[in-house]
Each structure stands twice: as structure tokens, then as C-alpha cells.
Amino acid sequence: MTPPRPRVVAALGTDHHDFRRCLSWLDSWAAEHPEVSVFAQHGHSAAPRHATGVAMTSRAELLEHFASASVVLTHGGTGSIMDARACGHLPVVVPRRGELGEHVDDHQVSFSRRIAERGWIHLAEHEDTLHGHLDRALAEPVHYRLDVTTVAAPVPAVSTMDDVLAGVLRERPGRLDSRRLGQMARLMLFGRRPGARNGDRNP
């Protein structure tokens, strides 16, 4: 019986800013790995050339994609990260950068760096780093998987959450509104807000 093809699933969120930088990095890797199935939910960025892509999909469908993935790649949105972790993945995260017009500011960069320091994601801020993570995830998948029975529990202590949020605020004074702070807090303490819409979960 032929084993299933390895599968990379990327979720770039629903924000209206273009994120072609991340998509081009993924697409160049896909071109070099035709033996791997690569799927990208690419939002408002142009469709990939080598990966299979859809602009938008329902959260339920995206979770199905995550469930079948060998490795998950997301932007730095709390909802995408949270959903990937809930499906048992330690995701690879490429944060959007404000100075490149990928978001309104660099809060994804600050936040992603903070949670990467705590081992909650794999951070990729450069193309070669992303490619290295994808290669390693297929060769050593244990480093990119989580025990899903522990993900939903409010494991990080309040003091840990305070440390992360305080650090982000120090780096981005006056630039984060209460909605984004609330989404970050939910990621680190309780998980996704019940009933949140797809567009509400990717700050």
C-alpha cells in the first residue's frame, strides 16, 4: 500500500493586507518538493503557482486541513496559531511586518518572538529558516507535534501571560488596542473565544 504524501498546510489569515512575502517563500519550497502536497489559504495575496491555494475557507474546513497536515505554517495571528495547536501542531509562524505593508504595525513580530522564546511556536523570519523548518518537520515530525490532550488546558500561568503582554507593550507602546490584547490573552490562557468569527481570529 502506497503511504500518503506528506502534507504542508499554510493559513495566512483573513486580513486585507498582502502577504506575498510568506507565500512566495512557501511556493519556492513547494517547487523544490513536488513529492509533498502543499496547501495554502492565502487570503488577499495572489494565488501560489506551485502550491494548491484558496483565498478563503471556513474555519471548519481549515481545521480539517490542519488535522491532515504533516506540518502547519501560519502568520502571526493568534487565532491561526491557536487552531493549529488545538489540532496537535507546534506551528511554524511567519509574522506579518508593518513596515512592509503586511499589517498595520509590527505587533505580530513582537508577539511571535515572545511566544517562540517560550517554545509555543517555531519562528521563521527569513526564507531559509522557513525552508529549514519545513524540511525538519518532515524528517523529524516529533518536534512539530503536540499532545492535544494538554493544549486546551490553561497551562501558562497568569504571570507568564503578564510577562509576554508586558514585553509586547514595551516594544509597541500605544500601538495595540484592547481587542488585540484580548486575543493574545485568550491564546495564552483559555484558547479561542467560543463563537468567534473567522475574520475575528487573526489580528
Side-chain angles (χ1 to χ4, degrees), residues 101-177:
E102 297 168 348
H103 216 313
V104 296
D105 59 24
D106 277 348
H107 74 275
Q108 284 199 1
V109 175
S110 300
F111 181 63
S112 297
R113 288 174 179 171
R114 293 284 172 177
I115 62 175
E117 289 172 359
R118 287 156 176 80
W120 300 346
I121 63 168
H122 291 288
L123 181 63
E125 297 193 67
H126 304 282
E127 183 173 13
D128 58 348
T129 306
L130 173 60
H131 290 186
H133 276 305
L134 296 179
D135 289 339
R136 188 183 182 211
L138 298 184
E140 304 174 59
V142 66
H143 299 293
Y144 296 80
R145 301 293 299 184
L146 294 170
D147 179 356
V148 295
T149 63
T150 65
V151 172
V155 175
V158 172
S159 60
T160 302
M161 182 194 74
D162 288 343
D163 289 344
V164 174
L165 297 184
V168 173
L169 286 171
R170 282 195 299 271
E171 294 176 12
R172 307 298 301 167
R175 298 299 299 277
L176 290 175
D177 60 30

Side-chain angles (χ1 to χ4, degrees), residues 14-202:
T14 57
D15 186 85
H16 69 275
H17 295 87
D18 195 320
F19 202 19
R20 70 185 70 183
R21 177 172 62 97
C22 179
L23 195 63
S24 68
W25 293 356
L26 175 65
D27 215 29
S28 66
W29 186 89
E32 297 175 357
H33 296 79
E35 75 284 3
V36 179
S37 171
V38 181
F39 172 85
Q41 177 271 311
H42 55 84
H44 293 274
S45 302
R49 294 178 55 195
H50 302 285
T52 301
V54 296
M56 302 291 175
T57 187
S58 70
R59 178 170 179 258
E61 291 173 337
L62 191 58
L63 292 177
E64 289 181 4
H65 285 295
F66 284 175
S68 68
S70 306
V71 58
V72 169
L73 163 68
T74 77
H75 71 142
T78 54
S80 296
I81 294 170
M82 192 184 310
D83 283 346
R85 287 176 56 85
C87 290
H89 294 281
L90 193 64
V92 179
V93 174
V94 178
R96 294 172 179 264
R97 293 172 56 185
E99 73 270 24
L100 298 180
E102 297 168 348
H103 216 313
V104 296
D105 59 24
D106 277 348
H107 74 275
Q108 284 199 1
V109 175
S110 300
F111 181 63
S112 297
R113 288 174 179 171
R114 293 284 172 177
I115 62 175
E117 289 172 359
R118 287 156 176 80
W120 300 346
I121 63 168
H122 291 288
L123 181 63
E125 297 193 67
H126 304 282
E127 183 173 13
D128 58 348
T129 306
L130 173 60
H131 290 186
H133 276 305
L134 296 179
D135 289 339
R136 188 183 182 211
L138 298 184
E140 304 174 59
V142 66
H143 299 293
Y144 296 80
R145 301 293 299 184
L146 294 170
D147 179 356
V148 295
T149 63
T150 65
V151 172
V155 175
V158 172
S159 60
T160 302
M161 182 194 74
D162 288 343
D163 289 344
V164 174
L165 297 184
V168 173
L169 286 171
R170 282 195 299 271
E171 294 176 12
R172 307 298 301 167
R175 298 299 299 277
L176 290 175
D177 60 30
S178 59
R179 173 177 171 272
R180 291 194 181 118
L181 287 174
Q183 288 171 320
M184 292 178 184
R186 281 191 295 275
L187 170 61
M188 291 179 283
L189 282 181
F190 304 111
R192 180 183 170 81
R193 173 172 58 86
R197 295 172 300 173
N198 191 43
D200 286 344
R201 60 189 181 82
N202 298 315

